[in-house]
Amino acid sequence: MTRTLYGLCGEDRERPFSPHVWKIVMALAHKGLDCRFVPLAFTEIPKVEGGATKMVPYLVDGERAVVDSFAIARHLDAAYPDRPTLFAGEGGQATARFVEAFSQTVLHPAIVRIILVDIHDRLAPEDRAYFRKSREAAFGKTLEEVVAAAPAERAAFADKLLPLRYMLKKQPFIGGETPLFADYIVFGALQWARIMSPQPLLEPGDAVSEWFERCLDLHDGLGRAIAPAGLSEAA
Amino acid sequence: MTRTLYGLCGEDRERPFSPHVWKIVMALAHKGLDCRFVPLAFTEIPKVEGGATKMVPYLVDGERAVVDSFAIARHLDAAYPDRPTLFAGEGGQATARFVEAFSQTVLHPAIVRIILVDIHDRLAPEDRAYFRKSREAAFGKTLEEVVAAAPAERAAFADKLLPLRYMLKKQPFIGGETPLFADYIVFGALQWARIMSPQPLLEPGDAVSEWFERCLDLHDGLGRAIAPAGLSEAA
């Protein structure tokens, strides 16, 4: 069966960076499913498969096409029930929606206010004008004005992770002893920052940092295979 | 079988108020289990069953005695597997730990800074000195100094509920279509405030307020049977 995942890349097409696509990259590995990965610039997305999607991740799995990371995770668990589960039951699936909501309303707004210009500078040249125009319209200010508050956002970021830090006193993953899709949801947000910005968000030795390192180690170091921004990447 | 739940009360012994005990009151109803409820003042807890516990909720279930709300919920699901589940699978149980962590690190600290004096004023007379001394030592300031920031905390409270509000666009309960223990965790925090303080925390018409009303309706209006502070209670 042919399986294709469409995701986002910047100027360096070897560095997928979308937080939502990373959730699915990890989910596919969790289930042990091979997949062809197709990196796209933002402005290439509408041209894929005859305009089939406006968003990524977009998974074409044989006859099925699924958009939206949570919908794709549900599809993978339903279509491959004999593979390791992503939710470990209906309660796990429902409660993962709360983790998703935490990531979207607490982590993403903070991260984007820190790394917005770093993202812009790493996009494909043809994406930069689109990105600047759409994000400046959404924020009502220039990209540079948004990240003027980045030092304050970085100083406040450790406190946003309090729920995760508190939970990690009880268990090593949101999924318990082993990771579930809920872990990949939060991992995706932090991996997005790791790949697109040299600004450190996690403090070494913090329980959240140790959890993130465990996630980077999963599935033969799949997340670690992409070097953090500012190291191997071209400046 | 004899089943006894020890919980907290204030001067009015008919008004149990502990957020953690409310989780278990709801959990017992969820599972359809009868239980004798024993209300205690803070200073009565060490005298129970020959000094068996320093904390409530404390459940004595036949031969088993269990302390700590999460441990009690796990016990109930394990001991009564044929009754409605509180976790709906291992993933639901693990991920409920994240909801618990969110409630403990985001909601509880905000709520206590708003209602601390309201709690004090509703305690049994013999509890008030203990409460003032222990809480003032923990905060490093007087109860009255803590709640001087209550108006600002109240103004900021709606934003603390963002993850729940965002999730409620997808499903009516944290448990999905029906409530699970994860719902009772957050319900407990808000019920604590509802019973011990006349200060409103939720805005009418907000999705979180509507979810809380749905929780108050559960199990034949079990949570609603205790009137909110300032209404039927003696001033």
Side-chain angles (χ1 to χ4, degrees):
Chain A
M1 166 148 48
T2 310
R3 195 177 294 118
T4 305
L5 176 65
Y6 294 93
L8 267 180
C9 64
E11 184 164 24
D12 183 343
R13 296 184 81 87
E14 302 296 315
R15 296 174 61 80
F17 71 86
S18 159
H20 309 295
V21 175
W22 267 105
K23 298 175 194 173
I24 300 309
V25 170
M26 296 294 275
L28 286 161
H30 183 104
K31 298 206 71 96
L33 296 169
D34 289 331
C35 191
R36 183 173 71 106
F37 182 77
V38 179
L40 298 169
F42 276 113
T43 47
E44 290 174 323
I45 297 173
K47 301 168 194 167
V48 162
E49 305 218 359
T53 186
K54 292 175 180 169
M55 295 194 305
V56 294
Y58 178 66
L59 179 74
V60 180
D61 189 11
E63 302 292 304
R64 278 289 298 277
V66 194
V67 69
D68 177 80
S69 60
F70 209 97
I72 293 171
R74 290 178 60 172
H75 158 74
L76 293 176
D77 248 16
Y80 306 97
D82 297 337
R83 304 286 185 125
T85 174
L86 288 165
F87 294 114
E90 290 188 10
Q93 183 174 305
T95 313
R97 282 292 197 190
F98 182 80
V99 178
E100 178 186 62
F102 170 80
S103 185
Q104 287 303 118
T105 62
V106 178
L107 301 186
H108 277 243
I111 292 172
V112 81
R113 284 180 161 79
I114 296 170
I115 72 170
L116 193 61
V117 167
D118 295 331
I119 297 172
H120 171 271
D121 293 350
R122 283 163 179 77
L123 293 180
E126 66 269 27
D127 268 5
R128 290 180 197 163
Y130 153 78
F131 186 82
R132 178 174 288 277
K133 188 175 175 188
S134 61
R135 270 50 174 182
E136 292 189 345
F139 280 102
K141 48 177 88 168
T142 68
L143 303 185
E144 290 73 16
E145 284 167 348
V146 171
V147 301
E153 288 283 355
R154 275 176 57 186
F157 194 69
D159 270 1
K160 314 251 176 187
L161 299 168
L162 265 171
L164 189 54
R165 192 174 300 121
Y166 184 96
M167 184 214 73
L168 289 166
K169 291 189 267 185
K170 299 273 167 48
Q171 56 196 30
F173 291 101
I174 304 175
E177 291 303 312
T178 55
L180 291 174
F181 189 65
D183 288 275
Y184 304 145
I185 289 171
V186 179
F187 171 79
L190 296 172
Q191 175 77 329
W192 170 45
R194 175 180 171 274
I195 289 174
M196 291 303 262
S197 171
Q199 301 180 67
L201 290 188
L202 303 178
E203 291 169 31
D206 179 29
V208 176
S209 179
E210 291 170 358
W211 164 84
F212 186 59
E213 295 293 324
R214 284 196 292 280
C215 289
L216 287 170
D217 286 337
L218 291 169
H219 315 309
D220 300 320
L222 184 61
R224 208 184 286 287
I226 308 296
L231 283 183
S232 77
E233 63 165 1
Chain B
M1 164 145 51
T2 311
R3 195 176 292 120
T4 305
L5 176 66
Y6 294 93
L8 268 180
C9 64
E11 184 165 23
D12 184 343
R13 297 184 80 87
E14 303 298 314
R15 296 173 61 79
F17 71 85
S18 158
H20 308 295
V21 174
W22 268 104
K23 298 175 194 173
I24 300 308
V25 170
M26 297 295 275
L28 286 161
H30 183 103
K31 298 207 70 97
L33 296 169
D34 289 330
C35 191
R36 183 173 71 104
F37 182 77
V38 178
L40 299 170
F42 276 114
T43 48
E44 290 174 323
I45 297 173
K47 303 168 193 166
V48 162
E49 306 220 356
T53 185
K54 293 176 179 168
M55 296 195 303
V56 293
Y58 178 65
L59 180 74
V60 179
D61 189 10
E63 301 292 303
R64 277 289 299 277
V66 193
V67 68
D68 176 80
S69 61
F70 208 97
I72 293 172
R74 290 178 59 171
H75 159 74
L76 294 175
D77 247 17
Y80 306 99
D82 296 338
R83 305 287 185 123
T85 176
L86 288 164
F87 294 114
E90 290 188 10
Q93 182 173 307
T95 313
R97 282 292 197 189
F98 183 80
V99 178
E100 178 186 59
F102 170 79
S103 184
Q104 287 303 119
T105 62
V106 177
L107 301 186
H108 278 244
I111 292 172
V112 83
R113 285 181 160 78
I114 296 170
I115 71 170
L116 193 61
V117 167
D118 295 331
I119 296 172
H120 172 272
D121 293 351
R122 283 163 180 79
L123 293 181
E126 67 269 28
D127 268 5
R128 290 180 198 163
Y130 153 78
F131 187 82
R132 179 175 287 278
K133 188 176 175 188
S134 61
R135 272 46 177 183
E136 291 190 346
F139 280 103
K141 48 176 89 168
T142 69
L143 303 185
E144 290 73 17
E145 284 167 349
V146 171
V147 301
E153 287 284 356
R154 276 176 57 186
F157 194 69
D159 270 1
K160 315 251 176 187
L161 299 168
L162 266 171
L164 190 53
R165 192 174 298 121
Y166 184 96
M167 184 215 73
L168 289 166
K169 290 190 267 185
K170 299 272 166 50
Q171 56 195 30
F173 291 100
I174 304 174
E177 291 303 312
T178 55
L180 290 175
F181 190 64
D183 288 273
Y184 304 145
I185 290 171
V186 179
F187 171 78
L190 296 172
Q191 175 77 329
W192 171 44
R194 175 181 172 272
I195 289 174
M196 291 303 262
S197 171
Q199 301 179 67
L201 290 187
L202 302 179
E203 291 169 31
D206 178 30
V208 176
S209 180
E210 291 170 357
W211 163 84
F212 186 59
E213 295 294 325
R214 283 195 294 279
C215 290
L216 287 169
D217 287 337
L218 291 170
H219 315 308
D220 300 319
L222 183 60
R224 208 184 286 287
I226 309 296
L231 284 183
S232 76
E233 64 165 1

